[in-house]
Amino acid sequence: MADLLSTGISGLLASQVGLATVGHNISNVNTAGYTRQITNFNARTPQFNGGYYIGQGADATSVQRAYSQFLTQSVWSANSGQSRALQYAGLTAAANNAVSGSANLQTALDGFFGAVSDVANAPVDTASRQALLGKANSLVSTFRSLSSQFQQIDQQTNQEISNSVDSINSLAKSIADLNGQIARASIGGAAPNDLLDARDQAISQLSQIVGVNVSQGSDNMVTVSVGNGLPLVNGTDSTKIATANNPYDSSRLEIVGPTGSVISNQLGSGSLGATFDFRTNVLDPARNQLGRAAIALSDAFNKQHAQGIDLNGDAGGNFFNIGDPAVFDNTANTGNAQVTAKVTDVGKLGSSDYVMRFDGTNWSVTTTAGVVVPSTGTGTAADPILIDGLAITVPSGTPQAGDSFQIQPTRNAASSLSVAITDTNKIAASGPLSAGKGASNTGKGTLGNLTVTDPTDPAFNTPVNIVFTSPTTYTVNGGPPQTYADGDTITGNGWTLKLSGVPAANDTFSVKPAGSASGDNGNALALADVANKGVLDNGVTTVGKSYSQLIAQVGTAGAQANTALDAQQSILDQATSAQQSLSGVNMDEEAANLLRFQQSYAAAAQVINAANTIFDSLLSAVRG
């Protein structure tokens, strides 16, 4: 009877462990990262009794997790991809909102050039001129507002990077500490399930920030590496990463490893990798494109404005001011060379940033992406280094081998744009020359466009009298006869004049310098035409089209980011579903298990009761 009692007690204890495990599962149904636990049972070694074996009951041999390393790592990988896509989509949405928000640059451009046309219609009207200055300042404010919004997004990426590094270090320390606790708690081969779940949950959180590679070590400890193999956790030791200023641009944060080397470009997955990718592939090109448009506007408008004369009779000066390209020296430079850059040809100006390096003898130039850029020149004032519409000089100091400089031709141009004119009289609406026809002309010749081709011609301001000696011949200031046909262009000293129709003999036309307050609108018309003038990309792209390209560029990145997010979310959902089908707590299943163990517990209690009854009956028989 002792064997029956022992058998009943074993079943009671085994069922009790099963009940405890089910209760633990039910209690943690809402615990993040919890893995369903299973009680394993084994029959005790039977006792040989003559020609047969009698069973001795059962033992609860282990409580283990319903766990698959493959499914769990699939979730970690999907976590990294989804988190990266979510971060990228959020940041591109912010950039998209900036370019398509209330501070719409295209509207400001249209308003500005509309005001220029108004001045062309009333070139001496003070109100029209004042309105032009107002629209110019509004346009500048829009450029600066967009630039400021991009700068704020840049600062946001810095904050994201800093927060991510703090989280990575904290999670790495937590994983290392859990490694130690798990190793100490792994007694006799038993696994501390809840500690394992806590470690997996920490790794899952880490995988959202940066892609992880996890390998199982001894004593149930894991090694965790990130990026291109940087060991972040090794046993109970964790490696700290840190932020540091970009070696060129101190307004930018980079990530450095324990040796101080920059590892920013090695973190491709997770939200942190997305932040760097966004900064490189969306934000910087957008800021450069905006600055490129500002430079194009300033350059084209200033050049045309310089060809006119204002109400004071003076040649037009700069209408806009804009800063020169930014040049940053590397903090590791050992020489004292100073480098400057200027835009010399807007038509060749691209949207790349550059790194210029000195090898001890010669300078070489690449884009920040590492693409070699052909260059000429030695860097002196007389022989500047020429690349993509830029002239780069080293006006002072001596470079040392290994020194480098980063050049940002357009990045901050929009924020430096300003209106150079405050006096309405300084607007050079009048062309430098005016064309007229004789009052006594009897033919049908009419004046067409008077175009300035070279205002530096020494005889540019010399008055010219054109006299037709016949309908098909004319002289210029009494010179030799020249032939004429309807629609011909007459070329003078730095100008051309188009005529149409057939003049009569003795008809005259004149070209002379325009006087102050003349009411001429020749230059205002040319200024209004700057809106339609190809400036960038070797004279192909207008300022307005450049902005449209910016909108399309950011919009396309946003659309691609949203598509990627949908795809990565689907992958994560599938990976999570597969993992939870194995490891998740199912309340229906647990309820069934609870009932099963309750019944087995009660049955085992009945076995114990039966053993007790039989034993009492035996004692009574002996006493009788």
Side-chain angles (χ1 to χ4, degrees):
M1 292 303 97
D3 289 342
L4 181 61
L5 179 62
S6 176
T7 299
I9 292 173
S10 73
L12 189 74
L13 294 176
S15 297
Q16 191 175 42
V17 174
L19 281 170
T21 302
V22 171
H24 189 55
N25 287 341
I26 294 172
S27 298
N28 285 280
V29 66
N30 295 313
T31 301
Y34 179 78
T35 302
R36 177 172 61 92
Q37 296 180 11
I38 302 171
T39 305
N40 294 316
F41 303 96
N42 271 344
R44 289 180 173 181
T45 303
Q47 180 179 0
F48 185 73
N49 187 19
Y52 53 86
Y53 285 92
I54 298 175
Q56 299 295 303
D59 289 320
T61 57
S62 66
V63 178
Q64 65 183 41
R65 298 186 297 168
Y67 182 78
S68 166
Q69 183 70 21
F70 171 76
L71 293 178
T72 300
Q73 290 190 332
S74 295
V75 171
W76 293 340
S77 177
N79 251 339
S80 292
Q82 189 271 349
S83 182
R84 182 190 190 285
L86 182 64
Q87 178 81 339
Y88 203 83
L91 291 171
T92 53
N96 206 17
N97 290 338
V99 298
S100 60
S102 57
N104 189 293
L105 183 58
Q106 188 59 58
T107 301
L109 283 168
D110 292 342
F112 171 69
F113 283 110
V116 175
S117 297
D118 291 342
V119 170
N121 293 331
V124 296
D125 180 55
T126 302
S128 296
R129 288 170 169 259
Q130 190 62 54
L132 172 57
L133 292 184
K135 291 294 185 181
N137 281 291
S138 177
L139 175 60
V140 165
S141 295
T142 303
F143 266 109
R144 288 186 165 185
S145 175
L146 283 170
S147 179
S148 176
Q149 290 180 68
F150 283 144
Q151 287 174 351
Q152 289 173 9
I153 296 173
D154 198 11
Q155 292 169 2
Q156 179 185 344
T157 63
N158 278 342
Q159 190 61 51
E160 293 280 354
I161 292 166
S162 180
N163 292 342
S164 295
V165 167
D166 290 342
S167 297
I168 289 172
N169 288 333
S170 175
L171 288 167
K173 185 178 185 306
S174 176
I175 294 168
D177 290 343
L178 285 165
N179 265 344
Q181 294 177 47
I182 290 168
R184 290 190 295 271
S186 298
I187 300 172
N193 296 323
D194 295 318
L195 287 176
L196 292 172
D197 282 347
R199 186 178 66 188
D200 282 354
Q201 181 65 8
I203 295 173
S204 179
Q205 292 172 355
L206 179 63
S207 72
Q208 295 177 13
I209 304 171
V210 62
V212 297
N213 292 304
V214 181
S215 58
Q216 188 79 31
S218 60
D219 298 326
N220 281 328
M221 291 194 289
V222 296
T223 298
V224 181
S225 58
V226 298
N228 289 352
L230 172 69
L232 194 64
V233 178
N234 187 9
T236 57
D237 297 325
S238 61
T239 299
K240 274 194 172 184
I241 60 175
T243 59
N245 290 337
N246 181 281
Y248 297 105
D249 186 352
S250 61
S251 70
R252 287 250 164 122
L253 287 183
E254 303 290 347
I255 295 181
V256 295
T259 62
S261 58
V262 176
I263 59 172
S264 303
N265 60 352
Q266 300 178 21
L267 309 172
S269 298
S271 60
L272 184 56
T275 302
F276 281 107
D277 285 350
F278 164 78
R279 193 171 76 175
T280 301
N281 300 322
V282 178
L283 182 59
D284 286 353
R287 294 181 68 183
N288 289 353
Q289 184 75 354
L290 179 66
R292 190 168 172 251
I295 292 172
L297 171 69
S298 173
D299 183 77
F301 205 84
N302 283 350
K303 284 180 178 177
Q304 186 59 56
H305 194 255
Q307 295 191 30
I309 60 172
D310 60 22
L311 290 181
N312 300 323
D314 298 325
N318 280 348
F319 191 93
F320 293 107
N321 288 328
I322 199 164
D324 287 328
V327 179
F328 302 97
D329 60 320
N330 193 315
T331 53
N333 286 357
T334 57
N336 62 353
Q338 300 296 312
V339 174
T340 61
K342 287 186 177 297
V343 176
T344 55
D345 188 345
V346 174
K348 295 179 180 178
L349 186 63
S351 56
S352 297
D353 297 327
Y354 305 93
V355 175
M356 189 170 79
R357 295 180 174 85
F358 187 67
D359 64 5
T361 304
N362 300 308
W363 292 96
S364 63
V365 183
T366 66
T367 66
T368 49
V371 178
V372 176
V373 179
S375 61
T376 61
T378 58
T380 65
D383 186 28
I385 298 170
L386 301 178
I387 58 162
D388 295 347
L390 297 175
I392 306 169
T393 58
V394 186
S396 63
T398 302
Q400 297 296 316
D403 285 359
S404 63
F405 298 81
Q406 187 181 86
I407 301 161
Q408 297 176 357
T410 64
R411 178 80 54 84
N412 299 309
S415 63
S416 69
L417 185 66
S418 64
V419 179
I421 293 176
T422 56
D423 183 357
T424 58
N425 288 343
K426 294 289 188 179
I427 298 174
S430 173
L433 304 173
S434 62
K437 67 176 185 176
S440 60
N441 286 4
T442 59
K444 295 183 179 181
T446 58
L447 291 168
N449 291 333
L450 174 63
T451 303
V452 174
T453 57
D454 183 11
T456 63
D457 190 296
F460 181 74
N461 290 316
T462 301
V464 171
N465 192 37
I466 302 167
V467 178
F468 276 82
T469 55
S470 74
T472 58
T473 58
Y474 66 91
T475 62
V476 176
N477 285 349
Q482 301 183 50
T483 59
Y484 169 80
D486 186 0
D488 274 1
T489 297
I490 297 173
T491 301
N493 301 315
W495 53 263
T496 60
L497 175 65
K498 186 176 181 63
L499 296 179
S500 60
V502 180
N506 298 318
D507 282 358
T508 62
F509 298 87
S510 63
V511 176
K512 59 183 179 180
S516 61
S518 65
D520 179 75
N521 67 350
N523 202 48
L525 290 172
L527 288 170
D529 192 51
V530 170
N532 306 312
K533 185 178 180 181
V535 182
L536 297 165
D537 303 321
N538 293 317
V540 173
T541 305
T542 65
V543 175
K545 185 178 180 181
S546 175
Y547 179 64
S548 297
Q549 291 174 345
L550 168 60
I551 295 175
Q553 178 179 310
V554 177
T556 299
Q560 292 174 342
N562 289 332
T563 301
L565 176 58
D566 290 341
Q568 290 297 330
Q569 185 63 54
S570 177
I571 293 172
L572 176 60
D573 290 343
Q574 292 175 11
T576 302
S577 177
Q579 191 257 0
Q580 285 298 300
S581 68
L582 172 68
S583 303
V585 176
N586 184 304
M587 291 302 289
D588 292 337
E589 181 181 356
E590 297 304 323
N593 287 336
L594 184 64
L595 181 61
R596 178 164 61 91
F597 287 124
Q598 282 178 326
Q599 292 174 341
S600 66
Y601 187 92
Q606 289 300 319
V607 172
I608 295 171
N609 186 53
N612 185 57
T613 300
I614 293 172
F615 188 67
D616 286 344
S617 297
L618 180 62
L619 289 177
S620 297
V622 173
R623 283 195 297 266

